[in-house]
Amino acid sequence: MVNSFEFKAKIKQGMIEIPPEYQQSIQEGRDVRVIVFSEAKPQPRLMDQLAENPIPVQGWVKPTRDEIHDRK
């Protein structure tokens, strides 16, 4: 007979703690199968990060609209 259950947990010092309500279902020394699905957050794109947190540059002055569109 196979018992299965699912729960969410945080990894602490490389270990996953089994919630108390499931511990009675697992006997010490028994083989178990573990499947891990990591819910990693996607990394924001570099351009998105820079748009939200621009790098300050000393002496830089934001150009005016006319300067941006000036064609020489």
Side-chain angles (χ1 to χ4, degrees), residues 33-52:
R33 183 178 359 174
V34 178
I35 301 172
V36 177
F37 295 96
S38 179
E39 296 181 4
K41 296 178 184 174
Q43 286 283 4
R45 296 179 321 137
L46 178 60
M47 292 305 292
D48 293 336
Q49 290 176 341
L50 289 172
E52 289 182 23

Side-chain angles (χ1 to χ4, degrees), residues 7-45:
F7 59 89
K8 288 190 175 191
K10 290 196 182 275
I11 298 174
K12 296 177 184 171
Q13 297 181 352
M15 303 194 57
I16 299 171
E17 184 177 340
I18 298 171
E21 61 264 27
Y22 300 119
Q23 289 177 5
Q24 63 191 11
S25 302
I26 301 173
Q27 294 177 350
E28 189 78 23
R30 270 259 163 106
D31 289 337
V32 297
R33 183 178 359 174
V34 178
I35 301 172
V36 177
F37 295 96
S38 179
E39 296 181 4
K41 296 178 184 174
Q43 286 283 4
R45 296 179 321 137

